Amino acid sequence: MNSNEKLNHLSQKQIEEVVKKYMDKSIKIQDILDEYDIDVKPSKLLQLLPPVKTQEKCQICGEYLYKKIESRTSYSYNRDSLAGFCMKCGHKEYLKNTWGQKRCTCNGCLEIEKIKQEEKRRLINELYECEHEKYKFNELELSDQVKLLYLLFNNPSHNTCQITPPRELSKNWVAYINRLKDIKAISVSSKSDIAAFCVEDFPRRYYVSKVTYDVNVLFDECDLKMINNNIYFSECNIDELIMLLKEYIYDDLISKFEIMLEDRRLQLYISEEANNSFIDLIDKISYTQILELCYRVAVFFSDKVLVGDIKRFVANKAVLSNVSKFYNNAIEKNWTLKHAEIDYLEDELDFFIHRVLNKDISILKEVPSAELITDSGDREKDYNNTIGYATE
């Protein structure tokens, strides 16, 4: 074993003696330097000492491992995570359960890891590489068609064959994925990244937001053309479209109301009765008017809590029901209901308005109705964000 030039005047046996004495903290380092005539400062001696042989054997080639000598002043939290290394093949063993766990990248370890990955890929293919029944897009329920298109338009894979979840998931992405899996419109792809599967019960368990999905739905050219031009749903059942619009409006309003309350250290408690009253408002007034009522309720109750007129937990349970009460009070007193400004929309509602209804967000100032959906008006169509689908 090569030694530092400052130790060249020592025999191998003497170097081993120096190492042994350095590891004995009862012996002063200066005494070691004087005894063996080593010309170095005490703080620099450790840098000259060779690694020591351990009783552990290399899992790659079977030779004994060596390890660096530990500094006398080192503490457990700043010790080198390298537990040992092999002089012959270069394999390295790292301490386990350390922050930022390292892995050896020697040729032997890389080969072992390659074999493991190939076995994992074989198991994934064995379970998920199979033929699935194909469905026509126009055979899906309207709500499922919307869900599938939403995922495809926000699909980093940019085709109709596979869906890859984006880095930032929208609120309902996982819910849409689960629904489409349930009806077998999509299925987990055997081409999914290995890391997308859980270690436990591999590969049956996986992360819904990380695997890739095969699309088992076929689009004909006519459907694709109409979808890309935002006119596919123009001939769909109006009542179903209105119902879906109301559902997306409800989800968006509840999400925004929760944010308003959280900003004021309140939480939204949803009881069945209060929820039904809130839903009824969507048939009476517009989205923007309900949004304004939500804001006024949030401010009113946060102020009440702030001055001590009401307990926070009581306010949490009262806010949703009071949106309807504020409305009823306004009607009784013949007040004009104001419209809130729309700073942003949840992705799902925005997609439904633009891509499904082919409208702009100005329709949210009106009560959902057949006339509102079928009226073409003077609104310009937006083709800037259309996407091209690759057929299978």
Side-chain angles (χ1 to χ4, degrees):
M1 182 185 302
N2 295 329
S3 61
N4 189 280
E5 61 180 9
K6 290 184 179 293
L7 302 179
N8 284 346
H9 63 288
L10 301 178
S11 66
Q12 185 62 40
K13 182 178 179 180
Q14 287 175 314
I15 293 176
E16 291 175 0
E17 290 174 356
V18 172
V19 170
K20 186 175 181 181
K21 289 182 178 182
Y22 178 87
M23 296 173 70
D24 184 352
K25 293 184 179 181
S26 66
I27 303 176
K28 292 182 179 181
I29 295 179
Q30 188 60 55
D31 291 343
I32 300 175
L33 298 177
D34 293 341
E35 180 181 353
Y36 292 92
D37 192 24
I38 302 174
D39 183 20
V40 70
K41 293 180 180 180
S43 62
K44 300 295 184 180
L45 176 58
L46 178 61
Q47 298 177 16
L48 308 183
L49 301 181
V52 295
K53 188 177 181 180
T54 72
Q55 296 304 308
E56 299 294 326
K57 289 190 175 182
C58 176
Q59 63 178 0
I60 302 300
C61 68
E63 293 291 321
Y64 282 103
L65 296 177
Y66 286 75
K67 70 174 182 178
K68 294 179 181 179
I69 301 172
E70 202 170 90
S71 171
R72 287 186 173 189
T73 58
S74 66
Y75 294 92
S76 59
Y77 59 80
N78 65 2
R79 288 175 182 162
D80 194 335
S81 61
L82 183 61
F85 58 92
C86 180
M87 293 286 198
K88 182 178 180 180
C89 70
H91 173 67
K92 295 179 180 179
E93 288 284 346
Y94 292 97
L95 295 174
K96 296 181 179 179
N97 300 321
T98 59
W99 184 85
Q101 181 70 49
K102 294 182 179 180
R103 290 185 178 182
C104 178
T105 57
C106 73
N107 291 335
C109 283
L110 291 177
E111 183 62 27
I112 291 174
E113 183 61 25
K114 179 181 177 182
I115 293 172
K116 288 181 179 179
Q117 295 299 307
E118 289 175 349
E119 174 60 14
K120 287 182 178 180
R121 178 56 64 189
R122 185 190 68 78
L123 292 173
I124 292 172
N125 290 341
E126 187 178 275
L127 186 60
Y128 297 103
E129 195 173 53
C130 55
E131 287 293 326
H132 293 276
E133 182 180 354
K134 300 296 182 180
Y135 304 88
K136 290 185 178 180
F137 179 72
N138 56 25
E139 294 175 344
L140 298 178
E141 293 182 8
L142 180 61
S143 60
D144 294 327
Q145 289 179 342
V146 174
K147 290 181 177 66
L148 179 57
L149 288 184
Y150 176 82
L151 296 183
L152 290 174
F153 269 89
N154 293 279
N155 178 24
S157 294
H158 301 298
N159 60 58
T160 58
C161 304
Q162 283 191 331
I163 294 174
T164 304
R167 291 183 179 179
E168 295 184 10
L169 300 182
S170 67
K171 179 182 176 182
N172 288 321
W173 182 281
V174 174
Y176 289 2
I177 285 289
N178 286 331
R179 166 59 185 173
L180 293 173
K181 278 199 304 158
D182 288 343
I183 64 172
K184 296 180 172 53
I186 62 174
S187 54
V188 175
S189 173
S190 60
K191 295 181 176 60
S192 298
D193 193 290
I194 292 175
F197 297 86
C198 302
V199 175
E200 296 181 1
D201 199 17
F202 182 94
R204 294 186 176 278
R205 292 182 62 192
Y206 53 86
Y207 299 101
V208 176
S209 61
K210 292 183 179 181
V211 294
T212 300
Y213 299 89
D214 290 329
V215 179
N216 304 320
V217 176
L218 301 175
F219 296 82
D220 61 36
E221 290 186 10
C222 180
D223 288 344
L224 288 175
K225 185 175 181 180
M226 295 177 70
I227 289 169
N228 280 329
N229 289 329
N230 300 343
I231 59 175
Y232 177 85
F233 297 96
S234 60
E235 298 179 0
C236 291
N237 184 287
I238 296 298
D239 291 335
E240 286 187 66
L241 287 174
I242 295 173
M243 185 64 66
L244 282 177
L245 175 60
K246 290 177 181 178
E247 290 178 8
Y248 284 107
I249 285 176
Y250 169 83
D251 288 342
D252 190 282
L253 287 170
I254 289 295
S255 177
K256 285 191 172 65
F257 197 20
E258 285 178 327
I259 294 173
M260 291 178 192
L261 295 173
E262 288 173 2
D263 288 343
R264 293 166 176 79
R265 296 180 61 198
L266 295 175
Q267 293 182 334
L268 181 62
Y269 175 81
I270 303 178
S271 68
E272 183 176 355
E273 182 179 355
N275 195 48
N276 289 336
S277 298
F278 186 86
I279 292 173
D280 289 341
L281 286 180
I282 299 175
D283 285 321
K284 300 174 181 178
I285 54 178
S286 71
Y287 166 96
T288 51
Q289 289 172 314
I290 299 175
L291 189 61
E292 178 66 20
L293 286 175
C294 289
Y295 173 75
R296 291 182 178 276
V297 168
V299 172
F300 177 82
F301 278 94
S302 63
D303 288 347
K304 285 287 187 181
V305 171
L306 189 63
V307 299
D309 287 348
I310 188 174
K311 297 291 185 182
R312 194 176 302 277
F313 77 91
V314 176
N316 291 339
K317 291 187 176 182
V319 287
L320 186 60
S321 61
N322 270 271
V323 177
S324 298
K325 290 178 181 179
F326 271 42
Y327 165 75
N328 292 332
N329 188 42
I331 295 301
E332 277 183 25
K333 297 181 178 180
N334 201 29
W335 290 343
T336 300
L337 291 172
K338 292 184 178 181
H339 294 265
E341 292 294 327
I342 303 176
D343 296 329
Y344 71 96
L345 294 179
E346 294 289 339
D347 292 342
E348 295 82 3
L349 177 58
D350 185 76
F351 177 85
F352 189 82
I353 291 174
H354 286 101
R355 292 295 181 182
V356 176
L357 300 182
N358 198 20
K359 304 289 182 179
D360 60 50
I361 63 174
S362 62
I363 68 170
L364 294 177
K365 292 184 177 180
E366 307 292 338
V367 179
S369 64
E371 293 75 17
L372 187 68
I373 292 178
T374 56
D375 178 27
S376 60
D378 297 323
R379 302 184 184 93
E380 296 182 359
K381 293 183 179 179
D382 175 18
Y383 295 107
N384 294 329
N385 297 315
T386 55
I387 62 172
Y389 288 116
T391 57
E392 293 188 84

